[in-house]
């Protein structure tokens, strides 16, 4: 497999190792490696030349190499020892104590060999023949990085690995025997192992080992090694590009040249203009290769503008690792390339699936877990969401296990938001985004130099003002960050810099709220602020500070804002649109605007009776069509068969006059379930209240207009509520989900008051609806429903009276549903 020549094989600092010496050292290492074929040997060491000798010595003896993360703990190593039962471990003096403790914990006794003893001693050996008897032999067991919990041993054959070589050497000549590759990433990962060790040596190109991930070491190794191929992960490219771009943005001239190169899109011109950048990086780079995670579009295009060829690869350990890769000259943002000629890719239920000779043999000793990801036809189910265009290019839209699914049905890819937050580098060192109920929350590690003399509260205050609020003004509503947590540690990551997202909630678990009195904030005394404060505190049941922001501190949702909009209009005679409210940096700033623009000051609650009895006849309402009846019949038949839907209590639905139908909200199935289970005569005269986010895009909005759907338009919420009132005044019916959002747990959430206000002020009865089983059929974590039995029960109407408050009406409906839901 390895070329025998007088060429340089490995460069380490100022030391050069030629192929002839490398092969002799492999022979030496093979004498101390298990001689039995298919015997497993661990390599537990940092990147160094001896790592490579130990690795090929295992193959020389037809053994199976098991690379282990050099940063692993005693328990991590013990777990792998117990799982794969190796006969030997190659390690270093630096790691010896960990190995000995791990063997003790695992209660195993195996041979320990030290790389240090043989790495540089004088050799006079025959040159090893590193080959294989059968391509189907197991070559490696690589343990998954553990971003989601317990690692599994991925068994890869020589055929799996050679498929990658054929793709990037025989089929697309990215690697050749003249291009030297940089070894930078830890070699226990399949990407750097295959891409920076196995393929370069197979074709005779050679490598240079970078001692650390630090900038000076990388620059020195790039220059000393005359590196042509540099393999990295997105965070490396983000750091590299961010540093270069910061210098470019420092002067108008370099900014102008960068923009010119972006416009011209000519590699030769870009390399000439930014010759100094290329020289700084050694001056010999032909290809930058990114893998391990999605690369942000801005970085890809930015490096291209500088004249670099960035090739993005997509794969996973189970595919050894490559599923698709970018061809030179075919850089398309958000595209991870095209599969090789030996690979097949397809999209199944939105998930990328791959099939070919590089798909793993399976998980070591885990047949059930293997069967869960490789189906009976040999297709690997990657867990990644994406699509394939007409040219066969693969696009990844997110990781199914990482995507945050909000109650409005929107999918949020957290790494996109994290990248935007980390661009505020003078304030943010790193960031992570998690789901917090029905909101997004940021965990921010502040820039150490900036934050070291500041309290957590002051850091939080500045981050909200200078990071979260500017970010929120640039994104759609569902991507807004409503709160943050200041974290002074390091976010949990794998050695390839992937966030261990399953550990993020542990960071904020049991968190202590930031002490609000740590920095005293002077309380404004002017009357407009005091009135606004009293209203907010009564509505939200909180203690308000003048510096609080309406979204990031107070978590006002759309209905909260429409109530506040009405209160301000009624009390001060001035108008602040709900879409403008997040633009005020604090409640104090909003109060100051009110003080300068008010036309009166008369404290009074929103007069919902007067509001709902204003003339709304000129409002344009959606309408139905004759296909609704046919569509509902088809949907009803489907649910009857697929989910064995059982309908109860339809005799409780009044046949005359308007009604408000108020179901609990368990899943995306709920709207169609209610619609198709209503009697046809009632369904034709029923309108549905939906958030604007559910119906984005011209086609969906057209569908809403023609199917009796009233949209909750965030820029005109009051008109949305007036439309609901107008429908009821015309004697028709309305379906409103009082929770507003789907349940996370199956339990009932908070009931909003909108339906209760409509009920009381227009004297319309409310029919509670208990939906049971839809949560199990389609929970938030699933994209497609299972055939779980669903029950829909229409409960006796609740009649509004003058003595009942909005809260009492809402509570009666909630209690009625809750009683049936858990009976």
């Amino acid at each position: 497999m390895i070329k025998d020549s007088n060429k340089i094989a490995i460069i380490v600092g100022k030391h050069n190792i030629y192929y002839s010496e490398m092969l002799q050292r492999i022979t030496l290492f093979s004498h101390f490696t298990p001689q039995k074929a298919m015997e497993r040997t661990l390599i537990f060491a940092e990147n160094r030349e001896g790592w490579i000798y130990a690795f090929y010595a295992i193959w020389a003896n037809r053994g199976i190499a098991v690379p282990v993360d050099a940063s692993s703990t005693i328990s991590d190593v013990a777990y792998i020892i117990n799982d794969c039962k190796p006969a030997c471990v190659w390690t270093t003096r630096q790691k010896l104590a960990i190995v000995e403790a791990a063997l003790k914990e695992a209660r195993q006794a195996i041979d320990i060999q030290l790389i240090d003893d043989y790495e540089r001693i004088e050799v006079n050996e025959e040159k090893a023949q590193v080959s294989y008897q059968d391509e189907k032999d197991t070559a490696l067991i690589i343990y998954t990085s553990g971003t989601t919990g317990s690692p599994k041993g991925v068994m890869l054959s020589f055929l799996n690995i050679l498929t990658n070589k054929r793709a990037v050497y025989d089929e697309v000549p990215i690697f050749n025997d003249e291009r030297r590759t940089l070894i930078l990433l830890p070699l226990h990962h399949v990407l750097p192992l295959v891409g920076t060790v196995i393929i370069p040596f197979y074709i005779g190109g050679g490598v240079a080992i970078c001692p650390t991930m630090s900038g000076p070491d990388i620059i020195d190794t790039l220059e000393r090694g005359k590196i042509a191929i540099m393999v990295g992960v997105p965070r490396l490219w983000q750091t590299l590009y961010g540093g270069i771009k910061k210098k470019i943005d420092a002067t108008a001239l370099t900014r102008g040249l960068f923009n010119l190169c972006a416009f011209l899109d000519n590699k030769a011109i870009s390399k000439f203009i930014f010759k100094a950048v290329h020289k700084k990086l050694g001056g010999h780079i032909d290809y930058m290769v990114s893998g391990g995670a999605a690369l942000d579009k801005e970085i890809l295009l930015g490096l291209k503008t500088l004249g670099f060829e960035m090739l993005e690869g997509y794969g996973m350990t189970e595919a050894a690792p490559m599923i698709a890769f970018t061809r030179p000259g075919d850089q398309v943002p958000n595209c991870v390339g095209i599969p090789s000629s030996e690979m097949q890719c397809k999209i199944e239920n939105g998930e990328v699936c791959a099939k070919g000779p590089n798909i793993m043999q399976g998980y070591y000793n885990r047949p059930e877990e293997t069967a869960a990801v490789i189906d009976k036809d040999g297709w690997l189910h990657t867990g990644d969401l994406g699509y394939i265009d007409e040219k066969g290019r693969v696009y990844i839209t997110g990781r199914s296990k990482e995507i945050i699914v909000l109650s409005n049905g929107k999918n949020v890819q957290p790494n996109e938001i994290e990248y935007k937050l980390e661009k505020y580098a003078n304030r943010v060192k790193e960031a992570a985004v998690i789901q917090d109920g029905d909101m997004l929350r940021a965990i921010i590690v502040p820039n150490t130099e900036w934050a070291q003399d500041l309290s957590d509260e002051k850091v939080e205050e500045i981050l909200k003002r200078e990071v979260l609020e500017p970010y929120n003004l640039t994104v759609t509503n569902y991507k807004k960050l409503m709160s943050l947590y200041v974290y002074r540690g390091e976010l949990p990551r794998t050695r390839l810099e992937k966030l261990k997202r399953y550990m993020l909630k542990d960071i904020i678990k049991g968190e202590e709220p930031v002490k609000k009195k740590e920095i005293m904030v002077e309380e404004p005394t002017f009357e407009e602020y005091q009135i606004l404060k009293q209203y907010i505190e009564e509505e939200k049941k909180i203690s308000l500070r003048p510096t609080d922001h309406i979204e990031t501190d107070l978590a006002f949702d759309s209905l909260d804002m429409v109530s506040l909009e009405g209160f301000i209009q009624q009390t001060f005679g001035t108008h602040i649109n709900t879409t403008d409210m997040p633009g005020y940096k604090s409640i104090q700033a909003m109060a100051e605007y009110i003080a300068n623009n008010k036309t009166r000051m008369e404290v009074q609650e929103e007069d919902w009776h007067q509001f709902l009895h204003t003339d709304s006849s000129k409002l344009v309402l959606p309408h139905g069509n004759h296909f609704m009846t046919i569509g509902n019949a088809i949907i009803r038949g489907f649910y009857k068969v697929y989910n064995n839907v059982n309908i109860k209590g339809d005799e409780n639905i009044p046949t005359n006059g308007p009604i408000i139908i108020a179901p609990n909200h368990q899943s995306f199935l709920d709207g169609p379930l209610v619609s198709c289970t209503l009697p046809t005569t009632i369904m034709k005269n029923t309108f549905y209240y939906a958030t604007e986010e559910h119906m984005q895009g011209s086609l969906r909005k057209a569908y809403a207009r023609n199917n009796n759907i009233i949209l909750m338009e965030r820029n005109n919420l009051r008109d949305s509520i007036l439309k609901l009132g107008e429908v009821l005044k015309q004697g028709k019916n309305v379906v409103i989900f009082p929770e507003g959002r789907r349940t996370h747990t199956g339990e009932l959430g908070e009931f909003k008051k909108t339906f209760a206000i409509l009920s009381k002020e227009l004297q319309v009865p409310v029919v509670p609806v208990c939906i049971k089983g839809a949560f199990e059929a389609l929970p938030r974590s699933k994209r497609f429903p299972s055939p779980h039995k669903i029950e829909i029960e229409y409960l006796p109407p609740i009649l509004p009276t003058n003595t009942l408050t909005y809260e009492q009406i809402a509570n009666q409906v909630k209690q009625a549903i809750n009683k049936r839901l858990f009976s």
Side-chain angles (χ1 to χ4, degrees):
M1 289 176 66
I2 303 178
K3 307 293 181 182
D4 182 6
S5 72
N6 291 321
K7 288 179 61 177
I8 295 173
I10 305 171
I11 297 175
V12 185
K14 296 180 180 180
H15 185 58
N16 296 339
I17 298 105
Y18 291 83
Y19 273 107
S20 56
E21 179 187 346
M22 174 184 173
L23 289 166
Q24 287 179 315
R25 291 197 179 279
I26 291 171
T27 301
L28 175 64
F29 273 63
S30 70
H31 295 330
F32 305 96
T33 300
Q35 306 296 307
K36 185 179 178 182
M38 298 297 102
E39 199 78 84
R40 292 168 295 284
T41 299
L42 261 61
I43 307 177
F44 179 54
E46 63 280 5
N47 287 6
R48 56 194 294 170
E49 60 194 276
W51 198 106
I52 297 170
Y53 305 149
F55 176 75
Y56 280 112
I58 297 167
W59 278 7
N61 291 349
R62 293 190 61 212
I64 299 171
V66 185
V68 179
D69 185 354
S71 67
S72 296
T73 65
I74 293 169
S75 294
D76 293 335
V77 178
Y79 171 88
I80 293 174
I81 289 171
N82 268 327
D83 193 61
C84 72
K85 302 293 190 299
C88 174
V89 56
W90 277 103
T91 189
T92 61
R93 282 193 173 83
Q94 183 183 350
K95 303 292 181 183
L96 180 58
I98 295 176
V99 172
E100 290 175 337
L103 287 171
K104 186 177 180 180
E105 183 176 315
R107 297 181 180 180
Q108 299 286 331
I110 64 173
D111 185 32
I112 300 175
Q113 295 293 341
L114 294 180
I115 289 172
D116 316 58
D117 291 348
Y118 310 105
E119 191 173 45
R120 290 285 177 93
I121 66 170
E122 187 175 342
V123 289
N124 186 19
E125 301 278 348
E126 292 294 324
K127 298 168 186 175
Q129 294 298 317
V130 182
S131 61
Y132 51 86
Q133 298 296 314
D134 190 333
E135 284 189 344
K136 294 180 181 179
D137 285 349
T138 302
L140 295 167
I141 297 177
I142 294 189
Y143 280 82
T144 54
S145 56
T147 57
T148 56
S150 178
K152 299 180 287 291
V154 176
M155 297 187 294
L156 299 176
S157 69
F158 288 100
L159 174 61
N160 295 155
I161 296 164
L162 289 172
T163 304
N164 287 267
K165 170 257 170 187
R166 291 195 288 266
V168 296
Y169 175 61
D170 301 325
E171 185 177 330
V172 182
I174 295 168
F175 289 83
N176 63 39
D177 59 4
E178 298 298 322
R179 289 180 176 140
R180 185 172 289 114
T181 303
L182 179 69
I183 292 181
L184 178 64
L185 303 176
L187 294 177
H188 70 281
H189 280 286
V190 68
L191 168 65
L193 179 55
V194 173
T196 69
V197 172
I198 297 174
I199 293 176
F201 286 132
Y202 193 101
I203 63 177
V207 303
I209 302 175
C210 189
T212 72
M213 293 278 283
S214 70
D217 279 341
I218 293 173
I219 297 299
D220 180 68
T221 309
L222 287 171
E223 185 175 357
R224 192 185 301 276
K226 297 182 179 179
I227 298 299
I229 299 175
M230 183 178 177
V231 179
V233 291
R235 281 186 70 82
L236 170 68
W237 305 121
Q238 179 180 335
T239 302
L240 176 68
Y241 175 67
I244 296 170
K245 190 64 164 60
K246 187 176 181 180
K247 292 180 180 178
I248 288 173
D249 289 341
T251 68
L253 175 61
T254 48
R255 283 198 307 272
L257 289 172
F258 183 85
N259 292 334
L260 175 64
C261 287
F263 174 76
L264 294 174
D265 192 21
N266 183 288
K267 183 179 178 181
I269 293 174
S270 292
K271 288 187 73 171
F272 176 77
I273 290 177
F274 292 107
K275 182 165 55 177
V277 176
H278 286 257
K279 187 175 180 182
K280 182 75 173 175
L281 297 180
H284 295 85
I285 293 179
D286 291 328
Y287 298 114
M288 291 175 167
V289 179
S290 183
L295 183 67
D296 191 86
K297 173 183 176 181
E298 180 183 344
I299 298 172
L300 172 69
L301 295 180
L303 289 170
K304 183 181 179 185
T305 298
L306 295 171
F308 293 104
E309 183 98 53
M310 173 62 77
L311 305 180
E312 191 168 4
Y314 163 64
M316 55 196 301
T317 307
E318 290 83 346
M322 197 162 57
I323 293 173
F325 65 100
T326 306
R327 277 32 174 194
D330 188 33
Q331 296 165 311
V332 180
N334 304 320
C335 169
V336 294
I338 300 172
S340 70
S341 60
E342 297 184 76
M343 282 293 298
Q344 300 176 60
C345 275
K346 69 175 182 178
I347 306 299
E348 186 173 302
N349 296 330
E351 180 185 19
V352 178
C353 298
K355 184 178 181 180
N358 61 324
I359 302 304
M360 68 171 179
Q361 296 173 314
Y363 295 122
Y364 185 73
N365 280 340
R366 299 196 185 190
E368 291 182 3
E369 293 186 45
T370 301
V373 296
I374 301 179
D375 64 28
K376 57 183 175 56
D377 296 319
W379 287 95
L380 173 69
H381 291 252
T382 66
D384 291 311
L385 306 175
Y387 63 94
I388 301 172
D389 70 12
E390 66 283 353
K391 293 185 177 180
R393 296 191 186 100
V394 180
Y395 296 77
I396 303 300
T397 57
R399 181 77 181 156
S400 61
K401 292 181 180 178
E402 293 184 358
I403 282 180
I404 296 171
V405 182
L406 299 175
S407 60
N408 57 18
K410 292 296 180 181
N411 292 339
V412 176
Q413 190 63 41
N415 65 321
E416 294 177 4
I417 300 175
E418 290 154 2
Y419 173 68
K420 291 180 179 179
L421 295 178
E422 288 174 1
K423 290 178 72 174
Y424 296 88
N426 60 330
R427 295 286 184 261
V428 179
K429 181 181 178 183
E430 55 180 338
V433 173
I434 63 172
Q435 187 169 7
D436 186 9
D438 283 307
M439 303 184 297
L440 296 178
R441 188 178 199 186
I443 300 172
I444 293 182
V445 178
N447 179 297
T448 306
E449 185 178 349
W450 161 67
Q452 60 184 352
D453 296 325
L454 300 176
S455 67
D456 281 357
E457 187 196 32
K458 190 63 178 176
V459 170
E460 180 184 323
E461 178 188 333
I462 294 172
L463 287 175
K464 284 177 178 176
R465 184 175 68 248
E466 298 186 9
V467 178
L468 257 62
E469 290 172 25
Y471 161 79
N472 281 345
L473 290 173
T474 66
V475 297
T476 189
N477 283 313
Y478 72 89
K479 289 186 178 181
K480 287 184 177 181
L481 295 163
M482 305 302 282
S483 65
L484 73 85
Y485 177 65
V486 176
Y487 182 55
R488 300 273 187 168
E490 297 287 334
L491 295 179
R493 294 184 183 274
T494 69
R495 293 290 296 283
L496 286 190
E497 293 294 322
K498 290 183 181 179
L499 274 172
K500 295 183 179 180
R501 296 193 181 275
Y502 72 98
M503 295 176 65
L504 292 177
K505 289 191 176 179
D506 291 338
I507 290 176
I508 59 174
K509 190 180 291 181
E511 67 178 280
E512 291 293 331
V514 175
K515 294 179 180 178
K516 302 300 183 184
K517 298 300 181 182
E518 204 171 298
I519 294 178
M520 296 301 294
V521 179
E522 187 176 347
E523 179 85 3
T525 57
F526 63 96
E527 195 170 0
E528 293 83 0
Y529 170 78
Q530 292 296 329
I531 293 171
L532 199 59
K533 175 187 176 183
Q534 183 179 353
Y535 170 82
I536 292 173
E537 288 186 337
E538 289 177 356
E539 284 289 310
K540 299 293 287 182
K541 304 296 186 291
I542 57 167
S543 179
L544 177 74
R545 294 187 308 155
T547 56
D548 284 341
H549 185 267
I550 197 163
E551 282 187 333
T552 56
D553 291 306
L554 304 178
F556 263 56
D557 63 17
S558 54
L559 288 176
D560 293 326
M561 287 188 198
V562 76
S563 296
L564 179 58
E565 179 186 3
F567 174 78
I568 293 171
Q569 178 76 44
Q570 291 283 331
T571 306
F572 302 107
T574 189
H575 181 244
I576 299 180
N577 196 289
T578 55
T579 55
D580 297 330
M581 289 180 182
Y584 292 92
K585 67 178 183 180
S586 65
I587 294 300
Q588 181 174 344
M590 186 183 293
E592 288 169 352
Y593 172 84
I594 292 169
N596 293 327
N597 293 275
K598 70 178 186 296
T599 57
R600 65 171 180 268
M601 192 155 65
E602 181 181 352
V603 180
Q604 54 181 298
E605 293 186 3
E606 172 77 66
D607 188 343
W608 287 110
H609 184 82
Q610 181 180 347
F611 173 71
L612 289 170
H613 283 83
T614 56
D615 183 12
S616 54
S617 58
K618 293 182 180 179
L619 290 173
V620 178
L621 298 174
H623 53 83
N625 61 74
H626 64 279
F627 290 111
M628 286 177 60
T629 305
I630 300 171
N632 269 332
I634 294 171
I635 294 170
R636 182 170 183 158
F638 171 80
Y639 284 139
K640 274 282 189 182
V641 174
Y642 189 72
N643 292 103
N644 191 22
V645 169
N646 183 24
I647 307 166
K648 294 181 178 180
D650 50 0
E651 70 276 4
N652 289 319
I653 305 173
T655 55
N656 296 317
I659 55 172
I660 296 172
I661 299 167
N664 58 312
H665 205 353
Q666 291 206 325
S667 76
F668 278 139
L669 303 176
D670 300 342
L673 278 169
V674 172
S675 179
C676 74
T677 56
L678 285 171
T680 302
T681 53
I682 295 176
M683 181 274 296
K684 288 180 178 179
N685 290 306
T686 299
F687 288 69
Y688 304 83
Y689 194 38
T691 61
E692 194 173 28
E693 285 84 354
H694 279 101
M695 294 291 173
Q696 285 190 339
S698 56
L699 288 177
R700 290 186 178 184
K701 287 183 177 178
Y703 176 84
R705 287 194 301 270
N706 291 281
N707 285 274
N708 283 359
I709 298 173
I710 297 172
L711 294 182
M712 185 180 75
E713 299 171 291
R714 294 188 181 278
N715 63 347
N716 205 349
L717 284 165
R718 295 173 73 79
D719 269 11
S720 300
I721 294 172
L722 279 175
K723 287 179 182 179
L724 293 172
E726 179 60 27
V727 165
L728 293 170
K729 285 188 283 186
Q730 291 181 11
K732 297 176 181 178
N733 315 308
V734 168
V735 175
I736 302 178
F737 291 92
E739 293 164 279
R741 305 178 175 96
R742 290 174 298 149
T743 178
H744 282 272
T745 63
E747 303 285 331
L748 289 181
E750 177 191 355
F751 272 35
K752 305 290 184 181
K753 294 186 295 186
T754 305
F755 81 99
I757 292 170
L758 290 164
S759 172
K760 177 173 180 175
E761 301 305 338
L762 298 176
Q763 288 296 290
V764 175
V766 180
V767 176
V769 183
C770 179
I771 301 176
K772 188 186 296 187
F775 175 73
E776 290 76 11
L778 187 61
R780 284 171 174 264
S781 59
K782 293 182 64 175
R783 294 176 61 84
F784 297 93
S786 63
H788 191 281
K789 182 178 179 180
I790 297 175
E791 182 178 285
I792 309 291
E793 183 172 3
Y794 293 89
L795 305 177
I798 292 175
L799 305 176
T801 67
N802 292 330
T803 59
L804 289 175
T805 65
Y806 306 142
E807 288 80 5
Q808 288 171 332
I809 295 172
N811 285 336
Q812 283 190 23
V813 173
K814 183 176 182 179
Q815 288 168 10
I817 295 174
N818 194 64
K819 183 177 179 181
R820 297 301 303 149
L821 188 60
F822 300 105
S823 61

